[in-house]
Amino acid sequence: MLKDDPLVLPSFLRDTTNSDSALKKFLNGLSGVDKVGVEERVAKLGTRSIKTTAKAEGIDLAIRMIDLTTLEGMDTKGKVKSLCAKARRPDPLDSTVPSVAAVCVYSDLVAVAKENLQGTNINVAAVATGFPAGRVSLAAKLQDTADAVSQGADEIDMVIDRGAFHEGRFLDIYDQIQSVKRACQAAHLKVILETGELKTYDNVKKASWIAMLAGADFIKTSTGKVQPAATLPVTLVMLQAIRDFEIATHRRIGVKPAGGIKTTKDAMKYLVLIKETLGENWMNPNMFRFGASSLLNDLLMQRRKMKNGAYSGPDYVTVD
Amino acid sequence: MSNIDVKRTAKLFIGGAFPRSESGRTYEIFDNNQNFLANVALASRKDARDAVVAARSAFTKWSEATAYNRAQVLYRVSELMQGRREQFVEELNLCSKSNKHAENEVDEAINLMVWFAGWADKIAMVTGSSNPVAGPFFDFSIPEPTGVVAAIAPDKSPLLGLVETIASIVVGGNAVIVIASETQPLPAISLAEVLATSDVPGGVVNILTGSYKEIAPWLASHQDVNAIDLSGVESKAIALELEKEAAINLKRVLRPNTKMDGLTRIKTFLETKTVWHPRGF
Amino acid sequence: MVFEYAPAPESTKVVNLKTNYELFIDGKFVKSKNGSTYKTINPATEEVLAEIIEASSEDIDYAVNSARKAFKSWSKLSGAERGKYIYRIARLIQERSRELAVLESMNNGKPIRESRDIDIPLVAAHFFHYAGWADKLDYAGLGKNPQPLGVAGQIIPWNFPLLMLAWKIAPALAAGNTVVLKPAETTPLTALLFAEICQQAELPDGVVNIVTGAGETGRFLVEHPEIDKVAFTGSTEVGRLIAQAVAGTDKKVTLELGGKAANIVFDDAAMDQAVEGVINGIFFNQGHVCCAGSRLLLQESISDEFLNLLYERMKTLRMGDPLDKNTDIGAINSAAQLAKIHALTQAGKSEGAEMWSAPCEIPNKGFWFAPTVFTNVSLSHRIAREEIFGPVLSVLTFRTPDEAIEKANNTPFGLSAGIWTEKGSRILEVAHRLRAGVIWANTFNKFDPTSPFGGYKESGYGREGGRQGLEAYLKAGK
């Protein structure tokens, strides 16, 4: 069955990955994206007013969709440990607050995260493949991935080769993603496009297709290390590519905007975008994630405000 | 030995050809001293209808011609008019005007044709615009021809008025059906011959002779005519009726006795087209 | 449903409705001399908002005479001084924008998102733009020292009540004319609030006069002998009557009339933005837009794919309370307009076209029509020729660019058109050959005070906006 094996494409799409020129031709044949139009659409959706019950529901949904992330050179076991505690129980004062979807760490800290999340449904995601630049050999990328998987990573966040993209070596990117996908074994693969380095919406659309064709389970905007990171219009372009891919293959690909999403208001705008573009099938943590760290605290403060009627402050949520 | 003149049959000018009126009718015109001059075709409503068809079919190509090309074509008309200067003077002389007056009118008419010809590739520069809209768009406005224009040329200056009417209308890319001076149609008939031998494509200018009182209402109410120039209509009552008829398809109407400079006259038969396009990678 | 939006209604507290309104003549609100009254309603609820005067010919006489009197001094005021008054108006509109937006949505039925984000900001922008023209009339295109025409009689429609007021009044005042303006019968309230703004701006008495009423009142205004200029936006049918009424006079006329715009989508279009453009083209303001892209011309090779995307997108349109900030499609402006839409869609069905409507819940009260698409439409169908002026899209297909242009131009109207393709040369060629006054390429329904707007053929004559729009209120100096 097609649906069950992400690496098998319907024949008309399989042919597009037979050669570099076939893939290039296919990607160049995708309809273009008009910058002004896509930004206008996003601005219009940005005026959606999310109040009361919708907001309460949206906040909890957003919390459940978070990949709580720490990706710093100075990350320590202690840091990951306390992050895991927060992932399990984001608000120590309120047990009705749901857990987040996953904790996202560098691959060498997967075991620590795994250990601290035992007995929960929270996944451990590892960034791999020479994150964030990805400028290492394929062998190193595969080794990086294998390490993370062997330590128990449930999800792998890989970066694509943007240099190859700008050189027009689309099939190389495709092949790399496929290789990494194999190395993932049972782990889910999120493919980071690093849209801030792709620069145009047309490129974002092409890169989305390469990733989806190659077997990505999720496509993800950014590493968080490049500005701009996630933006609403970039995400919209990716959502529409996902919709087109579903029409063509009946396969649903997840999406993860990451980087720069800091406020509840931001999160609500992403939820609106999902709801009005892909619909309910994507309104859950299996299909949508926020790659974020500080977002969680703002969601918690807003949640308290809704519950208690008074604004909360940073001193009342944990800094981890 | 005496040589008998070969007289010209005064016909209509439609679609670049010189048909008689389909009605077979003519009317007599006379000089100042009431001597018979010619039998002139008395155009019927069907001739007017044929002229509209000819004008419409000529319009697209003429409006698509480059402005430089239109300028040259009209300038060429002035060259040919110059070559027939004496003929025009003579024809004007036959009717009321003094020789000096006739010469002046012909010279002015030729000069006016040159002046209008020169406008062809300047109209868009002077009347168009780039519009600085508040958003990521490139937005510009350009003049475009209205389409098929019907015109009643002034009776008083049968050549100068006719040239002003025709040139101001066609220079912007319109096609015209003009009803010439009823009492002094000879210069119009000669101008038709000039046009026929010029580079003006057939159908761009169509000249009808006869009674505008009879033909103009058909043109005013014709749904494939986009504008009407009433400059030559002297009767207020008729002008009123024609303007009312013109409302049937919202024709642009140039009322009689409207004082305006040449460029404003040109603009009367132009539309403004505004085009928007987003800017962005 | 997951993440169902809760109601987010804009408060109406900002609006101070009176139970009845008077006419605004000579700087004051005055009773009618002998006119009758009628009730203006909220089309979303059918609730009565206020009682309005139907101005009589005596009232029009009074208003025109006041404008005539005011013209003497207003036209002699320096352009710079006139400009300052208009700037004041622009600022007051910005300050009171919330109030104007809410009132507009209440009286018109349009979504608050549109009145708040599009109508009212454009109104302020229009006054701001033309304020700056007042002392620069020498550059309007009519040579040195151009002169105002005199008193302008202006009649505006109900689809963009305050925006159409701005399009009419701003250039007229900048050029030194005075005006008598009649808002549409069903949407007089923001015009009357604008009258208050004129008072707050201390605009000299009689420069702006607002008279309410229906067609008969409009006729009195058009036919008044002391009017020098008639500016009308509305139906082609009424435009024709006006053109006839002013025949034989010296009155100058500009007419912004109906349309049946083609929105042409080529196979290489940016698909999602084209879908969005088609949505915006026909469902903006419930399709109550003269330049609406009411005929979708789809290249046959992409028609199935495109229509599927369009239907999916239409399912997300939210119809309902115009004051809810999340509403996309508001109420139809009046029972009469709704009846007209029903009649034409009925004709579409009986002529054999296929009708599909977005699954919107129709509220119990008020006038509503769900966003609708007709496929299997041919050019001879009434729904492909007549202006429906509602949220109804007729879909036609084409095979070649020539055929697209031919079909697009095959209408007595010529107001606007849309082109969707990623190929630059094709855009320019198609734009060049379309017989319409406003061409939107890869966008639709965009308006700006600097951008001339107006139609070819039976869509009327004259332009509004920009320098060209200013010229319509001036004549050459002596």
Short mmCIF file of all heavy atoms in Angstrom, two decimals, chain B residues 81-124:
data_model
loop_
_atom_site.label_atom_id
_atom_site.label_comp_id
_atom_site.label_asym_id
_atom_site.label_seq_id
_atom_site.Cartn_x
_atom_site.Cartn_y
_atom_site.Cartn_z
N MET B 81 -1.78 66.49 -48.88
CA MET B 81 -2.65 67.67 -48.91
C MET B 81 -1.89 68.85 -49.54
O MET B 81 -2.46 69.61 -50.31
CB MET B 81 -3.10 68.05 -47.48
CG MET B 81 -4.15 67.11 -46.91
SD MET B 81 -4.53 67.51 -45.19
CE MET B 81 -5.47 69.02 -45.40
N GLN B 82 -0.62 68.96 -49.15
CA GLN B 82 0.18 70.04 -49.72
C GLN B 82 0.21 69.93 -51.24
O GLN B 82 0.06 70.92 -51.96
CB GLN B 82 1.61 69.96 -49.16
CG GLN B 82 2.50 71.12 -49.54
CD GLN B 82 2.11 72.41 -48.83
OE1 GLN B 82 2.01 72.44 -47.61
NE2 GLN B 82 1.86 73.46 -49.60
N GLY B 83 0.33 68.73 -51.74
CA GLY B 83 0.36 68.50 -53.18
C GLY B 83 -0.94 68.89 -53.87
O GLY B 83 -0.97 69.19 -55.05
N ARG B 84 -2.00 68.88 -53.13
CA ARG B 84 -3.30 69.22 -53.71
C ARG B 84 -3.77 70.60 -53.25
O ARG B 84 -4.96 70.92 -53.32
CB ARG B 84 -4.35 68.21 -53.28
CG ARG B 84 -4.15 66.82 -53.85
CD ARG B 84 -5.51 66.20 -54.04
NE ARG B 84 -5.39 64.79 -54.34
CZ ARG B 84 -6.37 64.09 -54.92
NH1 ARG B 84 -7.50 64.69 -55.25
NH2 ARG B 84 -6.21 62.82 -55.17
N ARG B 85 -2.84 71.37 -52.78
CA ARG B 85 -3.20 72.66 -52.19
C ARG B 85 -4.09 73.48 -53.12
O ARG B 85 -5.13 73.99 -52.71
CB ARG B 85 -1.93 73.46 -51.87
CG ARG B 85 -2.20 74.78 -51.20
CD ARG B 85 -0.91 75.49 -50.83
NE ARG B 85 -1.18 76.76 -50.17
CZ ARG B 85 -1.46 77.89 -50.79
NH1 ARG B 85 -1.51 77.92 -52.12
NH2 ARG B 85 -1.70 79.00 -50.11
N GLU B 86 -3.69 73.57 -54.40
CA GLU B 86 -4.44 74.42 -55.32
C GLU B 86 -5.87 73.93 -55.49
O GLU B 86 -6.82 74.70 -55.56
CB GLU B 86 -3.74 74.50 -56.68
CG GLU B 86 -2.33 75.09 -56.62
CD GLU B 86 -2.24 76.29 -55.69
OE1 GLU B 86 -3.11 77.20 -55.78
OE2 GLU B 86 -1.32 76.34 -54.83
N GLN B 87 -6.01 72.61 -55.53
CA GLN B 87 -7.35 72.03 -55.69
C GLN B 87 -8.24 72.40 -54.51
O GLN B 87 -9.40 72.79 -54.66
CB GLN B 87 -7.24 70.50 -55.83
CG GLN B 87 -8.58 69.83 -56.04
CD GLN B 87 -8.44 68.31 -56.02
OE1 GLN B 87 -7.33 67.77 -56.14
NE2 GLN B 87 -9.55 67.63 -55.90
N PHE B 88 -7.67 72.29 -53.31
CA PHE B 88 -8.45 72.63 -52.11
C PHE B 88 -8.84 74.12 -52.13
O PHE B 88 -9.97 74.49 -51.82
CB PHE B 88 -7.65 72.33 -50.84
CG PHE B 88 -7.65 70.87 -50.46
CD1 PHE B 88 -6.46 70.16 -50.34
CD2 PHE B 88 -8.84 70.20 -50.19
CE1 PHE B 88 -6.44 68.83 -49.98
CE2 PHE B 88 -8.84 68.85 -49.82
CZ PHE B 88 -7.63 68.16 -49.71
N VAL B 89 -7.87 74.96 -52.51
CA VAL B 89 -8.15 76.40 -52.55
C VAL B 89 -9.30 76.68 -53.53
O VAL B 89 -10.24 77.41 -53.21
CB VAL B 89 -6.88 77.19 -52.95
CG1 VAL B 89 -7.23 78.65 -53.22
CG2 VAL B 89 -5.82 77.09 -51.86
N GLU B 90 -9.20 76.05 -54.68
CA GLU B 90 -10.22 76.26 -55.69
C GLU B 90 -11.60 75.84 -55.19
O GLU B 90 -12.60 76.53 -55.37
CB GLU B 90 -9.83 75.46 -56.93
CG GLU B 90 -10.59 75.83 -58.17
CD GLU B 90 -10.22 74.89 -59.32
OE1 GLU B 90 -9.04 74.48 -59.41
OE2 GLU B 90 -11.13 74.52 -60.09
N GLU B 91 -11.62 74.69 -54.53
CA GLU B 91 -12.90 74.18 -54.04
C GLU B 91 -13.49 75.09 -52.96
O GLU B 91 -14.70 75.31 -52.89
CB GLU B 91 -12.74 72.76 -53.50
CG GLU B 91 -12.65 71.73 -54.62
CD GLU B 91 -12.17 70.37 -54.16
OE1 GLU B 91 -11.80 70.25 -52.97
OE2 GLU B 91 -12.16 69.45 -54.97
N LEU B 92 -12.60 75.60 -52.13
CA LEU B 92 -13.10 76.51 -51.10
C LEU B 92 -13.58 77.82 -51.73
O LEU B 92 -14.53 78.44 -51.27
CB LEU B 92 -12.01 76.79 -50.05
CG LEU B 92 -11.70 75.62 -49.11
CD1 LEU B 92 -10.54 75.97 -48.20
CD2 LEU B 92 -12.93 75.25 -48.28
N ASN B 93 -12.89 78.21 -52.80
CA ASN B 93 -13.23 79.44 -53.50
C ASN B 93 -14.60 79.39 -54.17
O ASN B 93 -15.26 80.42 -54.28
CB ASN B 93 -12.18 79.71 -54.58
CG ASN B 93 -11.29 80.85 -54.16
OD1 ASN B 93 -11.71 81.68 -53.35
ND2 ASN B 93 -10.09 80.88 -54.70
N LEU B 94 -14.95 78.22 -54.61
CA LEU B 94 -16.22 78.07 -55.30
C LEU B 94 -17.39 78.52 -54.44
O LEU B 94 -18.40 79.00 -54.92
CB LEU B 94 -16.45 76.62 -55.72
CG LEU B 94 -15.58 76.13 -56.86
CD1 LEU B 94 -15.74 74.62 -57.02
CD2 LEU B 94 -15.96 76.85 -58.15
N CYS B 95 -17.22 78.29 -53.16
CA CYS B 95 -18.26 78.71 -52.25
C CYS B 95 -17.82 80.05 -51.69
O CYS B 95 -16.83 80.59 -52.07
CB CYS B 95 -18.48 77.65 -51.20
SG CYS B 95 -18.83 76.07 -52.01
N SER B 96 -18.43 80.51 -50.79
CA SER B 96 -18.37 81.87 -50.30
C SER B 96 -17.01 82.56 -50.15
O SER B 96 -16.91 83.75 -50.28
CB SER B 96 -19.07 81.91 -48.96
OG SER B 96 -18.44 80.95 -48.12
N LYS B 97 -15.96 81.84 -49.87
CA LYS B 97 -14.80 82.52 -49.33
C LYS B 97 -13.96 83.26 -50.37
O LYS B 97 -13.90 82.86 -51.53
CB LYS B 97 -13.95 81.50 -48.58
CG LYS B 97 -14.82 80.66 -47.67
CD LYS B 97 -14.32 80.61 -46.28
CE LYS B 97 -15.43 80.14 -45.37
NZ LYS B 97 -15.01 79.21 -44.37
N SER B 98 -13.27 84.25 -49.90
CA SER B 98 -12.32 84.96 -50.76
C SER B 98 -11.13 84.06 -50.99
O SER B 98 -10.90 83.11 -50.27
CB SER B 98 -11.85 86.24 -50.06
OG SER B 98 -11.03 85.90 -48.96
N ASN B 99 -10.37 84.40 -52.02
CA ASN B 99 -9.20 83.59 -52.33
C ASN B 99 -8.23 83.56 -51.17
O ASN B 99 -7.70 82.52 -50.80
CB ASN B 99 -8.51 84.15 -53.58
CG ASN B 99 -7.47 83.17 -54.10
OD1 ASN B 99 -7.80 82.00 -54.28
ND2 ASN B 99 -6.25 83.63 -54.26
N LYS B 100 -8.03 84.73 -50.57
CA LYS B 100 -7.10 84.81 -49.44
C LYS B 100 -7.57 83.91 -48.30
O LYS B 100 -6.81 83.15 -47.70
CB LYS B 100 -7.03 86.29 -48.98
CG LYS B 100 -6.02 86.53 -47.90
CD LYS B 100 -4.59 86.52 -48.49
CE LYS B 100 -3.57 86.29 -47.38
NZ LYS B 100 -2.35 85.65 -47.87
N HIS B 101 -8.84 84.02 -48.06
CA HIS B 101 -9.45 83.23 -46.99
C HIS B 101 -9.29 81.75 -47.27
O HIS B 101 -8.94 80.95 -46.39
CB HIS B 101 -10.93 83.61 -46.88
CG HIS B 101 -11.55 83.19 -45.59
ND1 HIS B 101 -11.77 81.90 -45.26
CD2 HIS B 101 -11.97 83.93 -44.53
CE1 HIS B 101 -12.32 81.84 -44.06
NE2 HIS B 101 -12.44 83.07 -43.58
N ALA B 102 -9.53 81.37 -48.52
CA ALA B 102 -9.43 79.97 -48.90
C ALA B 102 -8.00 79.48 -48.72
O ALA B 102 -7.76 78.40 -48.19
CB ALA B 102 -9.89 79.79 -50.34
N GLU B 103 -7.05 80.29 -49.18
CA GLU B 103 -5.64 79.90 -49.04
C GLU B 103 -5.26 79.72 -47.59
O GLU B 103 -4.58 78.76 -47.20
CB GLU B 103 -4.73 80.94 -49.69
CG GLU B 103 -4.76 80.87 -51.20
CD GLU B 103 -3.74 81.81 -51.84
OE1 GLU B 103 -3.28 82.75 -51.13
OE2 GLU B 103 -3.41 81.59 -53.01
N ASN B 104 -5.72 80.65 -46.78
CA ASN B 104 -5.43 80.56 -45.35
C ASN B 104 -5.99 79.28 -44.75
O ASN B 104 -5.34 78.61 -43.97
CB ASN B 104 -6.02 81.76 -44.60
CG ASN B 104 -5.14 82.98 -44.74
OD1 ASN B 104 -3.98 82.87 -45.18
ND2 ASN B 104 -5.69 84.14 -44.41
N GLU B 105 -7.23 78.99 -45.14
CA GLU B 105 -7.84 77.79 -44.56
C GLU B 105 -7.08 76.53 -44.96
O GLU B 105 -6.85 75.65 -44.13
CB GLU B 105 -9.32 77.67 -44.95
CG GLU B 105 -9.94 76.41 -44.35
CD GLU B 105 -11.47 76.33 -44.41
OE1 GLU B 105 -12.10 77.38 -44.59
OE2 GLU B 105 -11.99 75.23 -44.26
N VAL B 106 -6.68 76.46 -46.20
CA VAL B 106 -5.95 75.27 -46.65
C VAL B 106 -4.61 75.17 -45.93
O VAL B 106 -4.23 74.11 -45.43
CB VAL B 106 -5.76 75.29 -48.18
CG1 VAL B 106 -4.90 74.10 -48.62
CG2 VAL B 106 -7.11 75.27 -48.87
N ASP B 107 -3.89 76.29 -45.86
CA ASP B 107 -2.59 76.26 -45.18
C ASP B 107 -2.74 75.86 -43.72
O ASP B 107 -1.98 75.05 -43.17
CB ASP B 107 -1.89 77.62 -45.29
CG ASP B 107 -1.45 77.89 -46.74
OD1 ASP B 107 -1.36 76.90 -47.51
OD2 ASP B 107 -1.21 79.06 -47.08
N GLU B 108 -3.76 76.44 -43.11
CA GLU B 108 -4.00 76.10 -41.70
C GLU B 108 -4.33 74.63 -41.54
O GLU B 108 -3.90 73.97 -40.59
CB GLU B 108 -5.17 76.92 -41.15
CG GLU B 108 -4.76 78.22 -40.48
CD GLU B 108 -5.97 78.91 -39.87
OE1 GLU B 108 -6.60 78.29 -38.98
OE2 GLU B 108 -6.28 80.03 -40.29
N ALA B 109 -5.12 74.14 -42.48
CA ALA B 109 -5.53 72.73 -42.39
C ALA B 109 -4.32 71.82 -42.52
O ALA B 109 -4.19 70.83 -41.78
CB ALA B 109 -6.57 72.42 -43.47
N ILE B 110 -3.45 72.16 -43.44
CA ILE B 110 -2.23 71.34 -43.62
C ILE B 110 -1.37 71.40 -42.36
O ILE B 110 -0.90 70.38 -41.85
CB ILE B 110 -1.44 71.80 -44.86
CG1 ILE B 110 -2.27 71.53 -46.13
CG2 ILE B 110 -0.09 71.09 -44.94
CD1 ILE B 110 -1.72 72.20 -47.39
N ASN B 111 -1.22 72.62 -41.84
CA ASN B 111 -0.40 72.79 -40.63
C ASN B 111 -1.01 72.03 -39.44
O ASN B 111 -0.30 71.46 -38.61
CB ASN B 111 -0.25 74.27 -40.28
CG ASN B 111 0.60 74.99 -41.31
OD1 ASN B 111 1.34 74.34 -42.07
ND2 ASN B 111 0.49 76.32 -41.37
N LEU B 112 -2.34 72.07 -39.40
CA LEU B 112 -3.01 71.39 -38.28
C LEU B 112 -2.80 69.88 -38.37
O LEU B 112 -2.62 69.20 -37.37
CB LEU B 112 -4.51 71.72 -38.30
CG LEU B 112 -5.28 71.42 -37.03
CD1 LEU B 112 -4.74 72.22 -35.85
CD2 LEU B 112 -6.77 71.74 -37.23
N MET B 113 -2.81 69.37 -39.60
CA MET B 113 -2.58 67.93 -39.78
C MET B 113 -1.18 67.58 -39.29
O MET B 113 -0.97 66.56 -38.62
CB MET B 113 -2.77 67.55 -41.26
CG MET B 113 -2.67 66.07 -41.55
SD MET B 113 -3.87 65.06 -40.64
CE MET B 113 -5.26 65.09 -41.76
N VAL B 114 -0.22 68.43 -39.61
CA VAL B 114 1.15 68.20 -39.15
C VAL B 114 1.20 68.22 -37.62
O VAL B 114 1.82 67.36 -36.97
CB VAL B 114 2.12 69.27 -39.72
CG1 VAL B 114 3.52 69.12 -39.11
CG2 VAL B 114 2.18 69.16 -41.24
N TRP B 115 0.49 69.20 -37.05
CA TRP B 115 0.50 69.35 -35.59
C TRP B 115 -0.09 68.11 -34.90
O TRP B 115 0.48 67.55 -33.97
CB TRP B 115 -0.30 70.61 -35.21
CG TRP B 115 -0.19 70.96 -33.75
CD1 TRP B 115 0.84 71.59 -33.12
CD2 TRP B 115 -1.19 70.73 -32.73
NE1 TRP B 115 0.57 71.75 -31.79
CE2 TRP B 115 -0.66 71.24 -31.52
CE3 TRP B 115 -2.46 70.15 -32.73
CZ2 TRP B 115 -1.37 71.19 -30.31
CZ3 TRP B 115 -3.16 70.10 -31.53
CH2 TRP B 115 -2.62 70.61 -30.34
N PHE B 116 -1.24 67.68 -35.39
CA PHE B 116 -1.87 66.51 -34.77
C PHE B 116 -1.02 65.26 -34.98
O PHE B 116 -0.90 64.42 -34.09
CB PHE B 116 -3.28 66.29 -35.32
CG PHE B 116 -4.33 67.09 -34.59
CD1 PHE B 116 -5.02 68.12 -35.22
CD2 PHE B 116 -4.63 66.83 -33.25
CE1 PHE B 116 -6.00 68.86 -34.55
CE2 PHE B 116 -5.59 67.56 -32.57
CZ PHE B 116 -6.29 68.58 -33.22
N ALA B 117 -0.43 65.12 -36.20
CA ALA B 117 0.40 63.95 -36.47
C ALA B 117 1.49 63.83 -35.41
O ALA B 117 1.78 62.75 -34.91
CB ALA B 117 1.01 64.06 -37.87
N GLY B 118 2.06 64.96 -35.07
CA GLY B 118 3.14 64.96 -34.08
C GLY B 118 2.72 64.53 -32.69
O GLY B 118 3.53 64.12 -31.87
N TRP B 119 1.43 64.62 -32.42
CA TRP B 119 0.95 64.24 -31.08
C TRP B 119 0.95 62.73 -30.86
O TRP B 119 0.96 62.25 -29.71
CB TRP B 119 -0.48 64.76 -30.83
CG TRP B 119 -0.51 66.08 -30.11
CD1 TRP B 119 -0.97 67.26 -30.59
CD2 TRP B 119 -0.05 66.33 -28.77
NE1 TRP B 119 -0.83 68.26 -29.64
CE2 TRP B 119 -0.26 67.70 -28.51
CE3 TRP B 119 0.52 65.55 -27.78
CZ2 TRP B 119 0.08 68.31 -27.29
CZ3 TRP B 119 0.87 66.14 -26.56
CH2 TRP B 119 0.65 67.50 -26.34
N ALA B 120 0.91 61.97 -31.95
CA ALA B 120 0.64 60.53 -31.81
C ALA B 120 1.50 59.87 -30.74
O ALA B 120 1.00 59.12 -29.91
CB ALA B 120 0.83 59.84 -33.16
N ASP B 121 2.81 60.17 -30.77
CA ASP B 121 3.68 59.48 -29.82
C ASP B 121 4.01 60.34 -28.60
O ASP B 121 4.97 60.08 -27.90
CB ASP B 121 4.95 58.99 -30.52
CG ASP B 121 5.69 60.11 -31.23
OD1 ASP B 121 5.22 61.28 -31.18
OD2 ASP B 121 6.73 59.83 -31.85
N LYS B 122 3.20 61.36 -28.35
CA LYS B 122 3.41 62.17 -27.14
C LYS B 122 2.22 62.12 -26.19
O LYS B 122 2.33 62.47 -25.01
CB LYS B 122 3.69 63.63 -27.51
CG LYS B 122 5.09 63.81 -28.09
CD LYS B 122 5.07 64.60 -29.38
CE LYS B 122 6.35 64.40 -30.16
NZ LYS B 122 6.10 63.76 -31.46
N ILE B 123 1.09 61.68 -26.71
CA ILE B 123 -0.13 61.70 -25.88
C ILE B 123 0.07 60.90 -24.60
O ILE B 123 -0.26 61.36 -23.50
CB ILE B 123 -1.32 61.10 -26.66
CG1 ILE B 123 -1.56 61.89 -27.95
CG2 ILE B 123 -2.58 61.12 -25.81
CD1 ILE B 123 -2.47 61.16 -28.93
N ALA B 124 0.61 59.70 -24.76
CA ALA B 124 0.75 58.83 -23.59
C ALA B 124 1.71 59.43 -22.58
O ALA B 124 1.51 59.31 -21.37
CB ALA B 124 1.22 57.45 -24.01
#
